[in-house]
Amino acid sequence: MTKRVVLAYSGGVDTTACIPYLRHEMGADFIVAMAADLGQGDELEPIRQKALDAGADVSVVVDAKERFVTEFGFPAVRANALYDGQYPLSSALGRPLIGELLVETAHAYECDAVAHGCTGKGNDQVRLDLTVALLDSSLEIMAPAREWSFSRSETIAYSEKYGIEPHVTKEKPWAIDLNILGRNVEAGLIEDLTWEPTEEVWSLTTAPEAAPDAPVHVTVGFRSGTPVSVDGEQLAPLDLLARLNTLAGAHGYGRIDMLENRVVGVKSRELYEAPGMLLLIRAHQELENLTLPADVLNQKRPLEAVYSKAVYDGLWHGPLLAALNAFVGATQTTVTGEITLKLYKGGVSVAARTAERSLYRHELVTYGSDCTFDQSSAEGFIDIFSLPGRVWNKVNG
Ligand code: ARG
């Protein structure tokens, strides 16, 4: 029986070495390399060719940018998803999509296995494996980099043995993962918790101290919780996010330096730049504050943390997220309106809020003479509201 495998391919040293490794050490007869374009900005035709040069039988590139933003990025905004309260899951959200694409490609090329180049220490292997297991449990999962114990130079030597030119660019003192939702930098120098990142670590954001001296206002429009416009101009999802990444990044907004609790039990230090996603979430939270009643907000906020953890853990296709998405979806029908944010030297503040279905009623809250709030009901309300406490005190002294 021939073994047909589709490999998630990035063009990097490790996934390239996976191609001969799958064939010569793991028994693959037919290898499809699949590169997903999630907006990482790489030129993909050379990457497609590189997989063929390394021995893949077929090499495909899938443009999944729009799908990434609409099916993953914007739902995460509706959920205000921030893992550990900070990280907008830019890398994490990419993996269930890559997993979906692996399964779709496996079906298209009649493969019986999928493969990836993740090591055994990170979150990404968990997310990819879980996604494939939940979408098509009949597919075998092959992870060469979890099996080999190559050092960097051994990986290169192994590739060279099979005629693969290493193409090693000058090695950076850290590892980068980039897509349209954000950029992650980890490992190397960043592992030293006392090392303060130097400017060369960052690439999507200007240093706050070097950002323009004049603030900028930006108005984000939402329809039922989904971002639809910037400064009154309707934009396609991808353009909208790209526009906000550039604008907010230029004002030094969107940097995160955090300690992160990985699925595999270790703490790691991670740097992120996600100006557009963080801006969208900030605006969306504010629009919810204006359009959702307090009791709904009080239930939704803690569930957002549950949602974020489930995404982080790779459970995108599991029943918990399906249930949470149903809840989030039910809360979003009235979340339509515009929020203006002011960006200034790395900071953001809310400058204006408008919504057709605003629950902020001026006539109820104003101290002016036109107030319709009936103060005469307050005394009786407080009497009953204080009743349980008064009973408690009477019984317990
Ligand atoms: N630690 C982050 C996360 O788990 C980023 C992972 C980035 N992946 C990578 N292969 N560098 O979401």
Side-chain angles (χ1 to χ4, degrees):
M1 207 185 94
T2 59
K3 183 167 225 156
R4 299 168 66 91
V5 185
V6 47
L7 168 71
Y9 186 68
S10 73
V13 172
D14 292 312
T15 53
T16 302
C18 284
I19 296 173
Y21 198 93
L22 284 166
R23 193 180 301 280
H24 301 292
E25 325 298 331
M26 298 180 87
D29 303 293
F30 184 82
I31 301 171
V32 181
M34 192 246 7
D37 184 0
L38 302 188
Q40 58 271 48
D42 291 334
E43 252 194 84
L44 286 151
E45 181 47 32
I47 288 177
R48 201 189 69 79
Q49 188 56 46
K50 194 170 173 187
L52 295 172
D53 296 343
D57 297 280
V58 173
S59 184
V60 294
V61 169
V62 186
D63 180 353
K65 296 192 289 288
E66 192 86 22
R67 178 162 160 189
F68 189 36
V69 175
T70 54
E71 293 178 26
F72 295 81
F74 285 179
V77 170
R78 285 194 283 275
N80 301 317
L82 295 170
Y83 180 66
D84 281 352
Q86 299 187 71
Y87 162 40
L89 296 159
S90 42
S91 290
L93 286 160
R95 273 51 191 191
L97 173 53
I98 294 170
E100 285 181 10
L101 298 171
L102 279 174
V103 172
E104 287 166 17
T105 309
H107 292 165
Y109 288 91
E110 292 171 359
C111 296
D112 28 61
V114 303
H116 58 69
C118 302
T119 67
K121 267 202 317 216
N123 297 319
D124 292 331
Q125 51 155 356
V126 179
R127 298 166 181 151
L128 285 173
D129 288 16
L130 274 172
T131 300
V132 173
L134 291 177
L135 292 180
D136 183 352
S137 60
S138 73
L139 288 167
E140 186 192 338
I141 296 163
M142 303 168 84
R146 213 154 45 189
E147 183 178 295
W148 73 42
S149 42
F150 292 159
S151 66
R152 186 80 176 173
S153 56
E154 286 166 345
T155 311
I156 293 166
Y158 180 83
S159 302
E160 282 173 338
K161 193 170 111 187
Y162 288 101
I164 298 168
E165 280 180 54
H167 275 302
V168 191
T169 44
K170 193 175 142 266
E171 197 151 334
K172 291 229 168 63
W174 41 69
I176 296 166
D177 185 53
L178 174 68
N179 63 47
I180 183 76
L181 302 189
R183 180 172 177 269
N184 164 256
V185 192
E186 59 176 22
L189 283 176
I190 294 149
E191 290 168 4
D192 176 356
L193 302 186
T194 64
W195 184 75
E196 187 180 352
T198 48
E199 270 317 298
E200 68 207 309
V201 170
W202 310 103
S203 89
L204 304 181
T205 52
T206 304
E209 42 282 56
D213 289 327
V216 70
H217 289 81
V218 57
T219 300
V220 185
F222 294 84
R223 193 176 308 122
S224 300
T226 298
V228 291
S229 68
V230 174
D231 293 332
E233 186 185 341
Q234 304 286 316
L235 291 172
L238 202 54
D239 299 332
L240 188 147
L241 193 58
R243 168 98 58 110
L244 294 181
N245 273 334
T246 306
L247 181 75
H251 283 267
Y253 178 69
R255 292 184 178 184
I256 300 162
D257 177 341
M258 69 185 282
L259 272 179
E260 187 171 301
N261 295 293
R262 285 200 186 160
V263 191
V264 290
V266 299
K267 285 185 190 287
S268 68
R269 193 243 193 133
E270 310 272 337
L271 309 181
Y272 296 98
E273 293 175 283
M277 282 296 282
L278 288 172
L279 196 79
L280 284 174
I281 290 172
R282 185 67 198 88
H284 179 260
Q285 287 169 331
E286 191 63 15
L287 186 59
E288 285 189 331
N289 289 343
L290 186 61
T291 55
L292 295 182
D295 59 351
V296 174
L297 284 172
N298 288 339
Q299 295 305 316
K300 185 170 183 283
R301 296 290 179 252
L303 284 177
E304 291 168 356
V306 177
Y307 183 105
S308 307
K309 168 119 177 73
V311 172
Y312 187 84
D313 290 352
L315 297 169
W316 184 263
H317 293 92
L320 175 61
L321 263 175
L324 291 172
N325 270 320
F327 174 81
V328 171
T331 62
Q332 296 299 294
T333 48
T334 61
V335 184
T336 297
E338 292 194 331
I339 299 295
T340 301
L341 297 172
K342 175 162 126 180
L343 290 158
Y344 180 62
K345 290 197 182 284
V348 71
S349 51
V350 178
R353 314 142 168 95
T354 56
E356 240 169 73
R357 302 203 189 192
S358 168
L359 300 178
Y360 170 87
R361 304 312 310 180
H362 183 259
E363 69 277 15
L364 286 173
V365 76
T366 181
Y367 286 100
S369 59
D370 49 348
C371 185
T372 60
F373 188 99
D374 181 4
Q375 294 197 53
S376 68
S377 310
E379 209 178 306
F381 167 73
I382 295 165
D383 191 43
I384 290 176
F385 200 52
S386 66
L387 184 60
R390 287 187 283 114
V391 170
W392 167 272
N393 284 347
K394 195 162 183 184
V395 171
N396 298 300

